[in-house]
Amino acid sequence: KRCIINSGVITELMDALRRGKIRIVYLTQPLHEGTPVIRLPEPFANDPGFKKQLLSRYDEKGPAWYWNWLIVGEHTGTHFDAPCHWVTGKDKASVDAVPPERLVGPAAVIDVREQVNNDPDYLLRLEEIQAWEKAHGQIPENSWVLMRTGWSQHGDDAERFLNVGADGRPHWPGFSEESAAFLTQQRSVLGVGTEAVGTDGASAADHVPPFPNHRIMHGAGKYGLTSLINLDQLPPLGALLIAAPLKIRGGSGSPSRVLALVPG
């Protein structure tokens, strides 16, 4: 039986993709053994990172097929943070319970590369959000708010990506407490995303209480995306972001394939 698509909207989308009027931008780091992950001090447990073990590759263990088994932390590489990832959201959704329509939304991209170049510990200020809204209008409902920092240029270089200084502490940018409060209380966002390894800046460990973006965002039932790439290919407004985490039952998050549909 043939499946005939009658929806005008879907037909228009397919035609736009075919004609190159809409591009698909890949916002996801490849996963491999060298993928940088957050390292927590003792006595805290750490993410194992990514490990791949061969099962067979066209050999005596499987003459016609190739496959592997994997060890990977839920928060490795480009990944999705579910609300239950943080204690403030412990009674809220795990990754498998996130409705699919909440995985898709407009992307509002706030460019703070200059600030981050001057200060790797930079935290997104309310003034930058307000300046963005003055230029582009109010952040649309059910949007992903993404920080374009240029941090993804460090790529697979774990030393530069985690940026541990002479003080023995890591340094990377993130969302501030005031920006998280504004986006959850004054705007109806899906969540936030960043090019760094976490949505909170590295200095957020020193806040009281610590990690304010996680505390506020997940406590409000919102989501997080980290280790994004290619944000330079997205306009400030006009892209549609699709986040596709694994549907892990009871999971706190998942490595994810994140895509954006961008006007060609």
Side-chain angles (χ1 to χ4, degrees):
K1 293 181 179 181
R2 289 190 307 159
C3 178
I4 301 175
I5 298 176
N6 293 315
S7 169
V9 174
I10 298 299
T11 301
E12 289 175 12
L13 174 60
M14 292 171 60
D15 183 66
L17 287 166
R18 180 176 61 84
R19 293 175 179 271
K21 293 182 178 179
I22 294 177
R23 294 186 299 115
I24 299 176
V25 178
Y26 203 33
L27 305 183
T28 310
Q29 287 185 350
L31 276 174
H32 58 88
E33 285 80 355
T35 296
V37 295
I38 286 177
R39 308 313 301 172
L40 300 177
E42 294 182 352
F44 303 119
N46 272 294
D47 186 315
F50 179 86
K51 297 180 177 65
K52 181 174 66 175
Q53 179 66 46
L54 181 69
L55 283 167
S56 69
R57 189 163 188 162
Y58 328 121
D59 52 25
E60 67 279 359
K61 295 182 180 180
W65 52 91
Y66 164 52
W67 58 344
N68 304 287
W69 61 266
L70 308 175
I71 296 175
V72 60
E74 292 176 327
H75 300 269
T76 302
T78 303
H79 66 268
F80 182 98
D81 290 342
C84 73
H85 173 46
W86 213 249
V87 64
T88 52
K90 64 181 181 180
D91 297 323
K92 300 186 186 296
S94 54
V95 69
D96 58 310
V98 176
E101 62 270 18
R102 303 285 289 172
L103 301 176
V104 180
V109 183
I110 301 177
D111 189 340
V112 290
R113 287 172 296 162
E114 182 178 350
Q115 295 91 322
V116 172
N117 283 338
N118 293 328
D119 178 13
D121 286 314
Y122 172 79
L123 302 179
L124 181 66
R125 299 181 303 170
L126 180 57
E127 294 94 301
E128 265 77 37
I129 299 175
Q130 292 170 331
W132 186 96
E133 291 196 324
K134 184 175 181 179
H136 306 288
Q138 184 169 305
I139 292 170
E141 186 175 356
N142 292 329
S143 289
W144 290 97
V145 177
L146 311 179
M147 278 182 67
R148 182 185 173 192
T149 61
W151 207 256
S152 60
Q153 68 182 313
H154 303 313
D156 294 333
D157 186 338
E159 183 175 347
R160 295 188 66 192
F161 195 73
L162 299 177
N163 195 31
V164 177
D167 57 0
R169 300 171 68 85
H171 302 272
W172 65 75
F175 288 83
S176 68
E177 182 167 3
E178 64 176 357
S179 65
F182 177 81
L183 293 172
T184 55
Q185 297 168 18
Q186 304 299 320
R187 298 292 180 265
S188 182
V189 302
L190 290 173
V192 297
T194 176
E195 296 178 61
V197 74
T199 56
D200 272 293
S203 63
D206 297 329
H207 285 241
V208 180
F211 304 105
N213 183 77
H214 280 72
R215 174 172 51 83
I216 295 170
M217 196 66 54
H218 299 319
K222 310 297 183 179
Y223 317 122
L225 294 171
T226 77
S227 300
L228 298 172
I229 64 172
N230 293 332
L231 294 189
D232 59 313
Q233 298 185 40
L234 273 57
L237 186 64
L240 183 71
L241 187 144
I242 304 169
L246 297 172
K247 197 173 182 180
I248 302 170
R249 182 173 293 175
S252 71
S254 165
S256 299
R257 198 164 239 194
V258 184
L259 309 172
L261 303 184
V262 179

